[in-house]
Amino acid sequence: MEKVTGIGGLFFRAKDPAALKKWYHEHLGIGMEPGSWAQEAGPTEIAPFELSSDYFPPSQAWMMNFRVRDLDAMIGQLEMAHIEVITNEEWNSVIGRFVRIHDPEGNPVELWEPSQMVIDHYGL
């Protein structure tokens, strides 16, 4: 069976696409022009949630999750830019640590620092 080899893109609507592209580039280091950003090798979770889940706001149909190497450094960087970082110890697990931010249009963005177990498993 032929399978997909990775995520080729994530497309979503925005009130101000140019401003949102700039925000993602400035604060998360993600270039949004074709070919300007390539993810590092590692796990990517594709997981549907129950409609009743409260893991992210019911008004949102989706949520992005990005892997980071050093969550504490990322939190410091975001806080210096006056971006609210939401933490919840219940989100952390054997697979790593998680925090949440929202982009300027209110979309939830989860940041994940994989645990050593995940790093070892995937050879990261």
Side-chain angles (χ1 to χ4, degrees), residues 30-42:
I30 298 172
M32 291 201 171
E33 299 305 321
S36 64
W37 181 72
Q39 67 178 336
E40 294 179 5

Side-chain angles (χ1 to χ4, degrees), residues 44-118:
T44 299
E45 182 77 18
I46 307 293
F49 282 70
E50 293 288 339
L51 288 174
S52 60
S53 172
D54 63 358
Y55 191 66
F56 54 95
S59 61
Q60 299 288 330
W62 56 274
M63 180 176 63
M64 291 185 281
N65 170 296
F66 295 113
R67 279 181 276 122
V68 300
R69 289 179 193 234
D70 185 338
L71 190 58
D72 293 325
M74 178 64 83
I75 289 169
Q77 176 181 302
L78 293 166
E79 288 176 341
M80 289 289 292
H82 305 288
I83 297 170
E84 180 184 11
V85 177
I86 303 163
T87 61
N88 183 332
E89 288 299 319
E90 292 179 15
W91 296 338
N92 299 333
S93 70
V94 296
I95 65 168
R97 297 172 49 218
F98 298 85
V99 298
R100 219 50 69 78
I101 62 174
H102 289 84
D103 72 19
E105 295 198 5
N107 299 307
V109 178
E110 188 171 68
L111 302 173
W112 169 40
E113 179 185 85
S115 68
Q116 191 62 49
M117 177 191 75
V118 172

